[in-house]
Amino acid sequence: SLNNVFFKVLSTTFLLSMCICTGNITANSTDRMDDFSDIESRFALRSNNEPDDDLCYIIPGQPQTIVECNFNPDTKTFIVIHGWTVTGMYESWVSKLVTALYEREPSANVLVVDWLVRAQQHYPTSAAYTKLVGRDVAKFVNWLQAELEYPWEKLHLLGYSLGAHVAGIAGLLTKDKVNRITGLDPAGPSFEYADAQSTLSPDDALFVDVLHTNTRGSPDRSIGIQRPVGHIDFYPNGGTFQPGCDLQNTMMMVATTGLRNMDQIVKCSHERSIHLFIDSLINSEQESMGYRCSSKETFNKGVCLSCRKNRCNKVGYGVNKVRSRRSSRMYMKTRDMMPFKVFHYQVKVHFFGKTKISYNDQPMKISLYGYSGEKENIPYVMPSLNTNTTVSFLLTTDVDIGELLMVKLVWEKDMLISWPWWSADTLHIRKLRIKSGETQSRVIFVAKDGEFSYLTRGGDAAVFVKDKEAQSSHKSERLHKLRMQGSSFTKSSKE
């Protein structure tokens, strides 16, 4: 298809060659870590008032620059590390992230690492430079900590694309472990099969969280790394590519704004990782939730919406810092714009029928009505529709409906088979079982009138209301609410 051909051509220019070995540039030893003469990276402390510009540089080995740049030793420090660049200039997301960090933490120090010269080379060369840049960052952090006796637990590194691996290498080389590293769609080419010392890994900080947003393609061709490299790895919308980033949308943007935005076809999903993190900073009341699951296919069946034993977590800044031996893969859906949060529901339904019916890919419209709001005609394509089978699927909405009261199902007619004499197929449904990921409530819905509701292709809606006799498990809902708003989550987001 045109999409695949275009992606291959663009990927080839983006990735260039895969033959470089990142391990050859420099060893990982900590020798000469007190010699600052070879540091090429620059460290700008950006201000809340001027988030766009590097106006003051803190220079390793020159303590007076710490004072001159008004570094606050009593608060937390964010170190932002950019990735590969075609233009040799900062991309627009840098200032947006700086602004969002200051909005959430007004007294913090937000440092931007400038390694633009090394990041502007052919991709394999820049990928190899991550070792030297990581070493620069580690030297800087070690020196800053020693000068101020600055607490390691106040350091948070945020790296995008190649910058995520820079952050990992820096974390590996610091004298003590930094508190947290956030990997924003870490780069895939040259790193998918590299060892832990050359990439971001869980050993590089006390806590490592990762957002994977552009893992489309085979592992050696994927722009974002596919394998988990943190304590918790989030895969929004499956991690492959993101809503609103399809070829049609991005080509339209190029057509209206010119070829200077051609790179957005590659970058849209890649850069979504940054905007999801920004969203978590500025929309703290609408935090997205991720759910642990074995695969995106299983997640799409709605069976992974459990929050027991740390199976769910907040995405982005407010994440609960749960560390386990194995990485937790977490999945969630999002909207195509900020705020990205959606509400997740598992719908389970058993279909009865007097005659045997079997279809694939049937178009449905589902409407949800609750105390707080409603969302009508949510489109859903039922992969298979058969009599005497139970189906489980994931349904999402960007509206906070609150406690669910009523559900309507419509089976849309097939335009190919719409002759007046064609007898419409009908399915019988006794009840729906719906679980909310966000509240953990489980509710049974029964047919509004009689024992069954009837779902007819091209017919009226099948209507279901909350079963008053089968009450939701309020206990689990209360416990979940307490856990999400209680001590562990509050504590972790303030660290």
Side-chain angles (χ1 to χ4, degrees), residues 71-85:
F71 183 91
N72 185 348
D74 299 321
T75 187
K76 61 179 65 177
T77 295
F78 300 101
I79 299 178
V80 176
I81 310 169
H82 64 79
W84 188 57
T85 172

Side-chain angles (χ1 to χ4, degrees), residues 445-465:
F445 289 83
V446 294
K448 186 182 179 187
D449 302 307
E451 185 182 357
F452 292 98
S453 267
Y454 301 97
L455 190 64
T456 303
R457 185 165 59 174
D460 295 333
V463 183
F464 302 87
V465 293

Side-chain angles (χ1 to χ4, degrees), residues 247-417:
L247 188 61
Q248 187 176 356
N249 279 7
T250 47
M251 286 296 280
M252 181 66 72
M253 183 177 68
V254 170
T256 53
T257 62
L259 289 174
R260 68 179 182 277
N261 283 319
M262 195 76 171
D263 59 345
Q264 283 301 324
I265 294 170
V266 167
K267 280 171 29 182
C268 182
S269 289
H270 197 33
E271 207 173 282
R272 182 64 59 84
S273 57
I274 301 163
H275 298 291
L276 285 166
F277 195 86
I278 289 172
D279 185 43
S280 74
L281 289 164
I282 63 178
N283 293 311
S284 57
E285 298 304 310
Q286 300 181 66
E287 289 177 300
S288 292
M289 293 295 301
Y291 303 89
R292 196 167 81 200
C293 205
S294 58
S295 70
K296 63 180 179 181
E297 291 77 18
T298 307
F299 181 70
N300 287 337
K301 293 178 182 176
V303 297
C304 294
L305 298 184
S306 171
C307 284
R308 293 178 64 248
K309 297 181 179 179
N310 297 312
R311 286 194 178 97
C312 73
N313 210 324
K314 296 177 182 179
V315 179
Y317 188 58
V319 68
N320 183 24
K321 299 180 182 69
V322 179
R323 291 182 295 165
S324 56
R325 288 184 182 178
R326 294 184 60 196
S327 170
S328 293
R329 287 177 182 250
M330 297 216 170
Y331 294 83
M332 82 275 200
K333 298 283 189 180
T334 72
R335 301 198 317 153
D336 61 356
M337 65 183 71
M338 206 178 290
F340 291 107
K341 180 184 177 68
V342 298
F343 297 84
H344 299 76
Y345 296 95
Q346 178 194 13
V347 181
K348 279 181 77 173
V349 54
H350 187 88
F351 296 109
F352 299 89
K354 291 183 178 178
T355 58
K356 188 175 181 180
I357 296 170
S358 180
Y359 290 104
N360 293 323
D361 301 325
Q362 290 302 294
M364 300 278 174
K365 289 282 177 66
I366 305 166
S367 300
L368 304 177
Y369 303 86
Y371 273 124
S372 304
E374 60 188 49
K375 182 73 173 183
E376 295 187 315
N377 298 321
I378 303 168
Y380 181 77
V381 177
M382 196 77 73
S384 61
L385 193 58
N386 305 300
T387 37
N388 300 319
T389 57
T390 301
V391 175
S392 172
F393 60 93
L394 179 70
L395 194 67
T396 60
T397 168
D398 56 357
V399 176
D400 185 0
I401 291 161
E403 187 181 346
L404 264 176
L405 299 173
M406 184 170 69
V407 181
K408 291 182 181 179
L409 289 182
V410 173
W411 183 4
E412 294 189 288
K413 67 180 178 183
D414 190 327
M415 297 307 293
L416 297 175
I417 308 173

Side-chain angles (χ1 to χ4, degrees), residues 164-183:
H165 299 302
V166 170
I169 292 160
L172 180 71
L173 297 176
T174 50
K175 290 177 180 174
D176 208 336
K177 285 196 177 184
V178 299
N179 183 47
R180 179 177 174 186
I181 294 175
T182 298

Side-chain angles (χ1 to χ4, degrees), residues 29-163:
S29 71
T30 54
D31 297 343
R32 299 177 66 248
M33 290 296 279
D34 295 327
D35 176 11
F36 308 125
S37 61
D38 61 346
I39 292 181
E40 289 189 22
S41 308
R42 302 199 295 171
F43 305 89
L45 179 55
R46 293 204 180 180
S47 71
N48 203 352
N49 300 325
E50 298 280 351
D52 296 351
D53 297 309
D54 292 345
L55 299 177
C56 194
Y57 293 97
I58 297 180
I59 302 168
Q62 299 182 26
Q64 72 277 12
T65 59
I66 299 173
V67 179
E68 289 166 2
C69 291
N70 296 314
F71 183 91
N72 185 348
D74 299 321
T75 187
K76 61 179 65 177
T77 295
F78 300 101
I79 299 178
V80 176
I81 310 169
H82 64 79
W84 188 57
T85 172
V86 179
T87 63
M89 296 185 293
Y90 287 122
E91 294 167 305
S92 60
W93 65 262
V94 176
S95 60
K96 291 174 184 173
L97 179 55
V98 170
T99 300
L101 287 165
Y102 274 127
E103 187 171 322
R104 185 65 175 264
E105 301 285 354
S107 63
N109 307 293
V110 181
L111 287 152
V112 175
V113 180
D114 174 355
W115 65 288
L116 291 169
V117 173
R118 285 167 165 170
Q120 196 189 355
Q121 311 302 315
H122 288 317
Y123 176 83
T125 306
S126 294
Y129 271 135
T130 55
K131 290 236 171 180
L132 288 178
V133 181
R135 192 178 172 88
D136 285 355
V137 175
K139 283 186 177 185
F140 173 79
V141 169
N142 284 341
W143 169 74
L144 188 70
Q145 191 277 331
E147 283 292 327
L148 301 173
E149 294 185 357
Y150 191 78
W152 291 100
E153 62 269 17
K154 289 184 179 179
L155 283 162
H156 183 174
L157 277 55
L158 302 100
Y160 166 59
S161 194
L162 286 183

Side-chain angles (χ1 to χ4, degrees), residues 222-242:
S222 168
I223 290 166
I225 203 165
Q226 295 183 1
R227 63 184 170 91
V229 288
H231 292 105
I232 297 179
D233 287 70
F234 293 98
Y235 293 82
N237 305 295
T240 49
F241 75 103
Q242 302 304 309

